[in-house]
Amino acid sequence: MSERKIILVTGCAKGGIGYEYCKAFAEKNCHVFASDISARMQDMLDLKSSDNKNIIETLELDVSSDQSVTSAVNTVISKCGRIDILINNAGIGSTGPLAELPLDTVRKAWEINTLGQLRMVQHVVPHMAIQKSGTIVNIGSVVGKAPTPWAGSYCASKAAVHAMSHTLRLELRPFGINVVLVLPGAVRSDLGRANLEKLGNQEWKLYSEFKEAIEGRAGASQGDKATDGRVFARHVVKKVLVARPPKQIAFGHMTALFAFLSSSPLWVRDLFFTNRFGLNKKI
């Protein structure tokens, strides 16, 4: 059996943090399986460069499909016999006022961001339980602890990831499986652009006067001070690869601010977000 760590990463299209996770693990001489949906397979071609061709493999994986997840996990197991680390990175944004956001939009975010992670866990855990070792890394968010206006759907999907991760950490302990919850702050990626594209020409009824503020929230994590995705990925990979990985990794721009807000009285949090996201006016 290979001494290299076998890593499975979801959501690895170029421009995202998953892409950087793959490169960071490859730098540590791990055998990486980079995955994404069929429409984005072309966006992972750069990972299979001449320097990485024996270290990084790509495969199709849709975390919202049981069949796709089963096929991808079986492929890794058939080739390598095990999965040492699962990085549950696949996710999408979901921006808009909760009172008007279409439930289909909310449902899709939860299917990918929350159930997608649990689906991966349920397919990978049986293999890790047999080997009595393994690490599952679930990607949450600082907004899962301090939810913001105009992104309630996304924040709630990540808050659920936090709850699941804290439960899994205890439930999987008897099998020797570690669970790590990652709380990214503002990290530079294609997320902001993708969020804005989804909003498109969306017209709000009750919230038409807040259109600009809503669009501002869509790209709020991608400001000039956002942490470089490569720096973030290398930090997480270094922490995850140690013999006893931490239970939680919080890193990135605005991490300290959101830690403060999450532990502050609600009136402090409300005042900050009311002013920050343009909700200090009456209609």
Side-chain angles (χ1 to χ4, degrees), residues 8 10 21 25 85-89 117 121 128 134-140 161 165 178-182 236 240-241 245-246 249:
L8 173 58
T10 65
Y21 284 137
F25 276 117
I85 300 175
L86 166 66
I87 307 293
N88 258 327
N89 173 72
Q117 293 201 22
V121 168
M128 289 184 171
T135 298
I136 293 170
V137 182
N138 291 336
I139 310 302
V161 168
S165 299
N178 301 304
V179 176
V180 180
L181 175 63
V182 177
V236 171
V240 166
L241 284 175
I249 302 170

Side-chain angles (χ1 to χ4, degrees), residues 28 63 70 76 79 114 167:
K28 297 293 185 179
V63 299
T70 299
V76 178
K79 286 187 175 184
T114 310
T167 299

Side-chain angles (χ1 to χ4, degrees), residues 39 60 62 71 91 95 105 173 177 200 207 231 237 243-244 270 282:
E60 183 178 330
D62 179 352
S71 176
T95 308
T105 301
R173 180 179 292 176
I177 301 171
Y207 293 93
V231 172
V237 166
R244 298 183 64 182
D270 287 355
K282 297 290 184 181

Side-chain angles (χ1 to χ4, degrees), residues 100 150 205-210 278-283:
E100 285 194 56
W150 314 134
K205 297 176 182 177
L206 292 173
Y207 293 93
S208 59
E209 293 186 30
F210 296 93
L279 285 159
N280 50 3
K281 62 181 179 181
K282 297 290 184 181
I283 297 179

